[in-house]
Amino acid sequence: MRGVPTGESGSDRCGAVAAGADESVLGRIALGLDGVRAAQRGRTAEARASFEALWEELGERDVFHRCVLAHYLADLQDDPRAELEWDRRALAAADSLTAERARTYGPALQVRAFYPSLHLNLASDHLKLGEPDLAREQLERAVRSLDALPEDAYSAGIRAAVDELRQRLR
């Protein structure tokens, strides 16, 4: 799964965080770590269940984490319609995330930089569902937002995926 951290164990991280966190924060961290570990081990249903529980725990208040979580959950779906729904949720969360709120997670974090990947995923979903016109519409939105990406390896991968999907849609 893209973006899933590897390396140090979840219990090591939880111990480091425990000193300053309340029970609800620790519960959310545990659900997230359970989902990450399950995804790394190829246990998709277990990862989905952990991430869906975390989704419920986050509620409407934490749109940044909901955006990231929905993006991951889309990748874990077996059904293309369910994948589309989670990608739509990721986009909706990004749409409700203000630039000011995003900067609370990191001073350089730019919400605009989320859109190329989010629209690319939606385009791919629509293509899987046999909806090429909707796929083209989302791909065009991805293309229009590419200028928000920095020049790095991740962004190069997004640009390459946009070009590849553009070729498939011709």
Side-chain angles (χ1 to χ4, degrees):
M1 184 167 128
R2 290 179 280 129
V4 175
T6 59
E8 69 183 283
S9 75
S11 60
D12 293 342
R13 278 181 262 145
C14 283
V17 174
D22 66 32
E23 292 266 336
S24 64
V25 170
L26 290 177
R28 289 191 297 272
I29 291 169
L31 284 170
L33 292 174
D34 288 347
V36 167
R37 282 192 293 269
Q40 289 172 337
R41 293 182 177 113
R43 297 191 316 251
T44 305
E46 186 180 330
R48 258 193 324 259
S50 290
F51 287 152
E52 286 171 358
L54 179 56
W55 175 268
E56 293 302 319
E57 281 290 319
L58 288 174
E60 297 293 322
R61 68 187 176 276
D62 193 343
V63 292
F64 172 73
H65 288 116
R66 284 174 69 89
C67 178
V68 172
L69 190 57
H71 193 60
Y72 285 144
L73 272 159
D75 290 342
L76 293 171
Q77 301 306 308
D78 298 323
D79 174 25
R81 291 228 174 265
E83 184 177 358
L84 174 63
E85 280 308 307
W86 281 108
D87 280 330
R88 285 179 174 160
R89 289 174 183 158
L91 180 62
D95 285 346
S96 66
L97 182 60
T98 65
E100 180 181 340
R101 176 75 173 138
R103 282 191 295 274
T104 66
Y105 295 99
L109 187 61
Q110 297 290 319
V111 177
R112 285 189 64 234
F114 294 7
Y115 287 98
S117 177
L118 294 171
H119 286 294
L120 175 63
N121 287 345
L122 287 164
S124 178
D125 296 341
H126 285 297
L127 188 58
K128 287 178 196 172
L129 292 166
E131 302 167 341
D133 291 338
L134 292 172
R136 284 184 191 90
E137 181 183 316
Q138 289 298 326
L139 186 61
E140 182 55 35
R141 290 179 181 176
V143 167
R144 286 194 311 260
S145 62
L146 286 172
D147 67 325
L149 294 176
E151 294 299 324
D152 60 15
Y154 171 79
S155 300
I158 296 295
R159 287 183 178 94
V162 164
D163 289 340
E164 179 183 317
L165 191 54
R166 184 182 286 147
Q167 292 300 318
R168 289 176 55 204
L169 282 168
R170 284 190 177 180

